[in-house]
Amino acid sequence: MEFSLTEEQVAFKQEVVRFARAEIVPRCREHDLKEEFDFESFRKLGEFGILGLHFPEELGGSGADVLTTVLAGEALGEAGVDGGLTLAYGAHSFLCADTILRNGTDEQRRKLIPKLASGEHIGCMGLTEPDAGSDVAAMKTTARRQGDRYVLDGAKMFITNGPIADVAVVYAKTQPELGHGGISAFIVEKGTPGFTAGPPLVKMGVRTSVTSELVFAGCEVPAANLLGREGQGFLMAMQTVEWDRSALLAPFVGSGTYLLQKCAAYASERTQFGRPIAAFHATKQKLASIRVFTEAARSLVYRIAWCKDQGRPLNHLEAAVAKLFIGDWSLSPINDAVLLHGGYGYCHEYDVERVFRDSRLAPIGGGTSDIQKMIISKLM
Amino acid sequence: MDFDLSQTVREELRVLESLDFPASDDAQDGNPRPLAAALGRAGYFGPGSRTGSSPDGAIGVIAAIEASTCRAAAGALGIEAGVRLLAMAVDTFGGPEPRAALLGPLRAGEMIAPVAFREAASASKAAVLQTAATACDGGYHVTGTKVGVVWPGEPDAVAVAASCGEGRAGLFVVRSPGTAAGISVTKVGGFGAGVTVVRVACESCHVAAADVIGPVPAPALYGALELWEDLTLLGVANGLTRLATTRALAHAKQAVVAGKPLLAHQWAGYKAAELLAQQQTAQLLAYRAAWSAASDPSAARALVDCARVFCTETAIRVTQEAARIAGADGAGLDADISAAAALALLLQILGTPVENAKLRIGDDVLRSWGSPAA
């Protein structure tokens, strides 16, 4: 075992933190309050190279490994970038673009990946349905082959980037009788007749990401938009799980460090009973709970990334452990951060309130904590 | 980065797993010697990687302690506190005489000698230890009181940490502490964990110069003892967590309730999943802390404290939750879980007490990101 980062990795992470603090963070609070997606920040992520970090250089990416990609996510969280933007980035780069990168034809990749890497196009993934969340096989959206086209009918729910996406990777059943084996994946582009997005949902947190329903009503897409072969959709969806359990968790780890910075600064300035509240044991205990969680979570996320870089098939047990831990065990330390700020912690101005709201997605998105427990208990 | 255990550590663990642990060696019967000797013969206490001086060796030690604790919980704590800790101190700080006299017997597991380090008023601030050693009669007179000393059986000696003045300190080895003049040992209980914990009071207790490890700069000795003690407790805590998880899982797979294995019932399956998640997280954090401690001890203290808190609190939670899965078996028939639960409670106050570790972590955070004025 060896747990150190290389000098290049440390320098890269610091560079991302600096960039995010200067270019992104000053815009977060306003957009969160307005529940608006920040197109400019998203474009800046693309310019900096984060959106396409792990894509091949010939397709507009940087060819980075997974650990470096995870470090970028952690750095965004550490800088104080809101969970909405990091979620939008994750849905775009990992759930949509990476699926095209891995499974698309050369033509599909050449056409779409460079624009997704730069942020010129925004991507999303349509998997979850109103009545089919973790139970993917229960999806009702269908894709019927008609000559050189597929006709999609159905609806998708809770789709991050749904209302603003230029490109969607959509899962639908081409052979419903086959269950998982009958699911296929399609590229659906904005403006395709029969494809509409619902209005943004009002959410507890991650408010700068826009989430909506996607509706497919006789939506015809060229047969050339099929990703891979018919019936491979479920496997593709499961591939995205690897990102759900690594890079998408990384900003939560970074948020832990961000909270420590905010809490330490506040505790040093805030005076009660004649001395800074930093002098009180109760304050130090709260700082400790945040730090302990952050260190524990960091180890888990790095491990998943490292395994992925080794080319190992996803260890579902380890991945579910990481997702479960960060989802469930983050509540108490983040709550401590709010409590440390007292009344200010309940207000938007000090950001911990936003981090608290954003963090509540961790035990839900990408497979709920209960689903992770189900996975683990079956693998034990 | 590399998240795989090295070939060396894997091989050492394989040897340990295949070793017969003497059944009578659980410290509950007060005799740790057969287990210590069996482990000593297997090279458990060094030399080589088992001294924990290299990053890989440090991980190996933590992993070995975890594995031993899984086999004989209280016994493992007894021999770690009673053998390895002093062996590491002698190896690192000992001059020729104590090395010649102590290192061989300790590594062979033939000498039991706990280290008496912590004091009531300075559980987490070694710099202010009060116990003092004064040079006289070709040796030293040691005076002071130590608390929270794990006392395996009837040890051959006890190594008392004391300051010698001018910023120097040493470990003063009092032989035959049960009968030696100037030293008294008082049992203080230990949550019924099967481990004897004592208070050691020295009053002008004479120690021959040949039995002194040091004197060396006090911060170096105290810092190392603190670190090793806390790392040992991480390994023990993770061993208890693994033991409880393993036992609970075995029970949940075997016991049939309402026509299906208990594990297939959602409440039990989900609870078992939580135990495993905590176990894996604690293990990884402990390995990382051990690696950091060997790589850069001065920078590792905060991470070791984080691991100390997390692993100990995990052991407490997991042993209790495991008992719920095991049901009546957890409380009675499967005594391992109840013993582990009791021992986990004890761990929180040994070494750097968990609450003190939290304050130290808080201080570290404030140093990093707070205002210096605060």
Side-chain angles (χ1 to χ4, degrees):
Chain A
M1 286 185 153
E2 205 274 318
F3 294 100
S4 62
L5 296 171
T6 65
E7 287 181 13
E8 291 77 15
Q9 287 167 331
V10 172
F12 171 73
K13 185 181 167 192
Q14 289 171 342
E15 188 59 30
V16 175
V17 170
R18 275 194 292 271
F19 152 75
R21 280 186 183 147
E23 302 289 335
I24 311 283
V25 173
R27 307 168 56 82
C28 291
R29 192 176 296 163
E30 177 192 350
H31 284 84
D32 181 73
L33 272 178
K34 291 181 178 175
E35 296 185 56
E36 280 179 351
F37 181 76
D38 184 358
F39 286 94
E40 186 173 337
S41 288
F42 197 78
R43 183 182 53 74
K44 287 180 176 177
L45 289 179
E47 285 174 0
F48 192 82
I50 288 178
L51 296 180
L53 202 54
H54 74 288
F55 301 163
E57 291 181 27
E58 64 270 23
L59 292 174
S62 303
D65 60 14
V66 181
L67 185 57
T68 303
T69 307
V70 159
L71 291 174
E74 183 184 355
L76 293 177
E78 184 174 324
V81 173
D82 69 280
L85 188 64
T86 56
L87 176 67
Y89 152 53
H92 167 92
S93 291
F94 307 127
L95 308 187
C96 173
D98 187 73
T99 306
I100 296 171
L101 183 68
R102 284 183 187 226
N103 305 288
T105 62
D106 283 347
E107 188 181 345
Q108 289 168 335
R109 295 162 75 183
R110 278 197 303 272
K111 176 184 175 188
L112 297 171
I113 296 297
K115 290 180 178 175
L116 289 166
S118 68
E120 182 182 345
H121 276 184
I122 296 174
C124 73
M125 178 189 78
L127 177 65
T128 300
E129 298 188 357
D131 297 317
S134 302
D135 183 9
V136 174
M139 75 165 54
K140 292 174 182 166
T141 300
T142 57
R144 287 175 289 110
R145 179 80 186 239
Q146 288 187 353
D148 63 350
R149 313 188 79 72
Y150 284 92
V151 180
L152 275 63
D153 286 287
K156 298 294 175 180
M157 194 59 173
F158 306 126
I159 308 305
T160 302
N161 298 343
I164 55 173
D166 302 285
V167 183
V169 170
V170 178
Y171 295 89
K173 282 184 172 171
T174 43
Q175 288 185 279
E177 69 280 8
L178 295 183
H180 291 111
I183 298 173
S184 303
F186 299 89
I187 297 168
V188 182
E189 296 185 66
K190 187 177 184 178
T192 303
F195 169 37
T196 54
L201 299 167
V202 177
K203 308 189 296 293
M204 172 195 284
V206 292
R207 289 180 161 196
T208 68
S209 70
V210 280
T211 309
S212 74
E213 186 181 29
L214 298 182
V215 178
F216 304 90
C219 173
E220 293 189 11
V221 298
N225 283 21
L226 176 69
L227 272 171
R229 295 195 302 273
E230 281 194 18
Q232 291 184 326
F234 181 73
L235 289 176
M236 292 180 201
M238 291 303 100
Q239 285 173 345
T240 67
V241 165
E242 298 184 21
W243 291 108
D244 273 329
R245 311 288 189 265
S246 54
L248 273 164
L249 293 176
F252 291 106
V253 177
S255 289
T257 307
Y258 180 65
L259 288 177
L260 287 170
Q261 294 165 359
K262 299 290 283 188
C263 288
Y266 178 81
S268 300
E269 294 164 3
R270 173 73 170 171
T271 298
Q272 290 288 281
F273 305 107
R275 53 183 176 162
I277 62 169
F280 294 103
H281 286 176
T283 298
K284 295 177 184 178
Q285 287 172 322
K286 288 179 175 61
L287 295 172
S289 93
I290 302 166
R291 175 81 186 268
V292 169
F293 163 77
T294 304
E295 295 297 350
R298 178 177 287 129
S299 304
L300 292 170
V301 174
Y302 285 4
R303 178 173 66 173
I304 303 296
W306 178 81
C307 286
K308 200 165 155 58
D309 276 332
Q310 303 307 303
R312 297 180 185 176
L314 182 69
N315 181 322
H316 289 283
L317 184 68
E318 291 178 354
V321 163
K323 177 72 169 63
L324 174 62
F325 182 79
I326 291 176
D328 277 13
W329 270 267
S330 62
L331 176 59
S332 176
I334 296 176
N335 188 49
D336 279 341
V338 173
L339 293 176
L340 187 145
H341 282 75
Y344 294 111
Y346 202 66
C347 301
H348 197 69
E349 184 186 353
Y350 281 77
D351 287 346
V352 295
E353 174 263 358
R354 189 194 72 218
V355 176
F356 180 89
R357 285 188 286 105
D358 288 352
S359 75
R360 290 308 82 216
L361 183 65
I364 298 171
T368 65
S369 289
D370 277 344
I371 291 298
Q372 307 314 314
K373 291 175 191 174
M374 187 177 78
I375 292 168
I376 295 167
S377 67
K378 284 183 176 176
L379 293 172
M380 288 175 90
Chain B
M1 282 199 170
D2 183 349
F3 281 80
D4 285 338
L5 288 173
S6 70
Q7 183 63 36
T8 303
V9 171
R10 285 204 301 269
E11 178 59 21
E12 287 173 348
L13 288 175
R14 193 193 61 73
V15 170
L16 186 60
E17 296 290 349
S18 65
L19 194 69
D20 281 333
F21 272 41
S24 62
D25 283 338
D26 193 297
Q28 293 199 45
D29 72 5
N31 181 13
R33 294 180 189 280
L35 177 57
L39 291 172
R41 283 192 296 274
Y44 184 81
F45 302 111
S49 63
R50 284 292 169 73
T51 58
S53 54
S54 70
D56 190 56
I59 290 171
V61 167
I62 293 289
I65 295 172
E66 177 188 322
S68 299
T69 304
C70 221
R71 303 279 295 279
L77 176 59
I79 61 165
E80 293 301 333
V83 181
R84 192 197 301 276
L85 200 54
L86 182 57
M88 292 173 79
V90 174
D91 194 31
T92 306
F93 298 107
E97 282 187 283
R99 286 181 77 87
L102 301 172
L103 210 46
L106 285 168
R107 284 183 173 162
E110 293 168 354
M111 179 182 190
I112 306 291
V115 173
F117 176 42
R118 309 278 174 167
E119 297 178 7
S122 55
S124 64
K125 290 190 177 177
V128 295
L129 290 179
Q130 299 296 308
T131 300
T134 312
C136 61
D137 301 336
Y140 288 85
H141 279 168
V142 179
T143 298
T145 301
K146 301 293 183 176
V147 299
V149 183
V150 172
W151 201 253
E154 297 294 333
D156 303 293
V158 57
V160 181
S163 91
C164 315
E166 298 180 343
R168 298 177 74 78
L171 279 172
F172 297 82
V173 179
V174 181
R175 294 179 182 267
S176 304
T179 55
I183 183 168
S184 66
V185 177
T186 309
K187 293 184 180 180
V188 295
F191 294 100
V195 173
T196 301
V197 178
V198 303
R199 176 187 297 114
V200 176
C202 296
E203 182 62 45
S204 297
C205 180
H206 182 75
V207 177
D211 284 338
V212 178
I213 297 133
V216 296
L221 176 66
Y222 292 164
L225 289 175
E226 274 190 316
L227 203 59
W228 295 336
E229 210 172 47
D230 288 342
L231 288 170
T232 298
L233 294 171
L234 296 186
V236 174
N238 286 354
L240 298 176
T241 297
R242 188 166 119 195
L243 183 153
T245 302
T246 305
R247 294 287 193 279
L249 187 59
H251 174 81
K253 285 180 175 175
Q254 183 206 348
V256 175
V257 178
K260 58 182 180 179
L262 178 59
L263 190 63
H265 292 267
Q266 200 169 65
W267 77 265
Y270 281 22
K271 195 175 282 296
E274 290 172 358
L275 302 191
L276 188 76
Q278 293 178 79
Q279 184 204 322
Q280 284 202 356
T281 308
Q283 190 182 54
L284 200 51
L285 186 56
Y287 288 168
R288 204 172 126 224
W291 180 88
S292 299
S295 303
D296 184 1
S298 61
R301 189 62 250 184
L303 188 61
V304 172
D305 281 333
C306 286
R308 167 87 178 109
V309 170
F310 185 77
C311 295
T312 307
E313 293 189 338
T314 293
I316 293 169
R317 277 193 306 268
V318 165
T319 51
Q320 294 184 1
E321 293 292 314
R324 296 183 190 188
I325 292 175
D329 285 353
L333 296 177
D334 189 345
D336 285 342
I337 293 179
S338 56
L343 193 50
L345 291 176
L346 178 61
L347 292 188
Q348 64 189 324
I349 55 170
L350 296 177
T352 302
V354 165
E355 291 306 316
N356 294 71
K358 289 180 183 175
L359 299 184
R360 208 155 57 183
I361 295 167
D363 284 333
D364 187 68
V365 170
L366 289 165
R367 270 194 300 275
S368 298
W369 292 300
S371 156

